[in-house]
């Protein structure tokens, strides 16, 4: 169990690093992790939507699809918060669209 937790933690750290540099795949993977609660992360649809949105901005069609699916389970207020967080991350990390 400890090895599994360490592996999950390593995966999440590498995905956060990749997402910060703006790779669509890393952003998508973080969206999946937050939407499913993998890698020791809590299920957080706002975070999931944010990362799927960033993946979509980088050209990921899967990101677009999953963003829409997650949004079906969210309130308008939650979606607005996810979008605000995505914009803030873009502004602070200079993450740019594809």
């Amino acid at each position: 169990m400890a090895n599994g937790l360490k592996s999950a933690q390593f995966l999440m750290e590498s995905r956060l690093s990749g997402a910060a540099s703006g790779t669509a795949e890393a952003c998508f993977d973080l969206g999946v992790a937050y939407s499913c609660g993998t890698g020791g992360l809590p299920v957080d649809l706002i975070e999931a939507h944010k990362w799927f949105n960033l993946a979509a901005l980088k050209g990921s069609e899967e990101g677009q699809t999953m963003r829409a699916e997650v949004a079906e389970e969210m309130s308008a207020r939650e979606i607005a918060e996810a979008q605000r967080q995505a914009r803030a991350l873009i502004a602070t990390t200079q993450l740019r669209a594809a």
Side-chain angles (χ1 to χ4, degrees):
M1 181 76 172
N3 281 341
L5 185 57
K6 286 181 182 180
S7 295
Q9 185 176 20
F10 175 77
L11 174 65
M12 295 313 301
E13 288 172 2
S14 67
R15 287 303 177 206
L16 280 168
S17 174
S21 68
T23 67
E25 181 183 356
C27 292
F28 180 82
D29 288 348
L30 281 171
V32 170
Y34 278 108
S35 66
C36 299
T38 56
L41 294 175
V43 172
D44 185 335
L45 296 183
I46 293 172
E47 281 291 314
H49 188 284
K50 175 182 81 177
W51 289 110
F52 287 138
N53 193 25
L54 293 168
L57 288 172
K58 294 295 293 175
S60 170
E61 290 183 23
E62 291 177 309
Q64 293 173 2
T65 300
M66 292 304 295
R67 177 183 59 195
E69 287 185 24
V70 167
E72 290 178 8
E73 300 179 33
M74 299 170 69
S75 69
R77 183 170 286 170
E78 290 171 323
I79 293 168
E81 176 60 19
Q83 291 171 336
R84 184 196 66 73
Q85 289 182 18
R87 285 189 303 271
L89 186 61
I90 290 168
T92 59
T93 63
Q94 300 302 307
L95 183 68
R96 296 291 179 228

